[in-house]
Amino acid sequence: MIAPSFKERVLTIVREIPKGRVLSYGEVAKCAGSPQAFRAVGTVLAKNEDVSVPCHRVIRSDGHAGTYNGLQGKSKEAVLRSEGVIFDKNNKVVV
DNA sequence: TCCGTGACTGACG
DNA sequence: GCGTCAGCCACGG
């Protein structure tokens, strides 16, 4: 039993995000133990290749989907819409 | 051990 | 309302 790395925590948290729900990088970083490490969250997800981690459910604090490496072969927004997430006129996620 | 990188955030003009 | 600048953190080489 050892303290998992920040990366492991982020992946675990993202993996527990329910379908149709989204979290911001800041929220994930906060749950990971470093609320100001939102920058590292992006770095970790960017290098992540595990499809078991719905990294597409992590969006910016502005409500925009943000960037996506196309792990699922689709745009972040497209994947979120497929999960029931609604976008408004401004392309922002509706909570 | 030190430096560079990056899917971000908030503030300013 | 939009674009730009600087700051922050964790990881790999």
Side-chain angles (χ1 to χ4, degrees):
Chain A
M1 241 336 200
I2 339 83
S5 302
F6 181 79
K7 173 173 67 174
E8 298 260 338
R9 281 202 201 211
V10 172
L11 296 175
T12 302
I13 293 163
V14 175
R15 201 182 299 149
E16 293 195 36
I17 299 176
K19 178 183 175 185
R21 192 66 182 277
V22 295
L23 284 178
S24 62
Y25 290 91
E27 290 293 311
V28 176
K30 187 177 176 183
C31 289
S34 300
Q36 299 186 272
F38 39 78
R39 182 72 81 139
V41 176
T43 306
V44 172
L45 295 179
K47 294 183 178 178
N48 172 49
E49 298 180 4
D50 194 341
V51 293
S52 303
V53 181
C55 41
H56 54 265
R57 287 181 193 156
V58 185
I59 62 171
R60 296 182 52 148
S61 61
D62 313 79
H64 274 268
T67 316
Y68 187 55
N69 64 350
L71 186 67
Q72 305 214 354
K74 297 169 81 172
S75 295
K76 213 166 170 182
E77 184 185 317
V79 178
L80 290 174
R81 284 196 182 191
S82 298
E83 303 216 336
V85 179
I86 310 298
F87 285 81
D88 66 5
K89 305 181 203 175
N90 297 323
N91 240 22
K92 291 175 81 173
V93 176
V94 180
V95 185

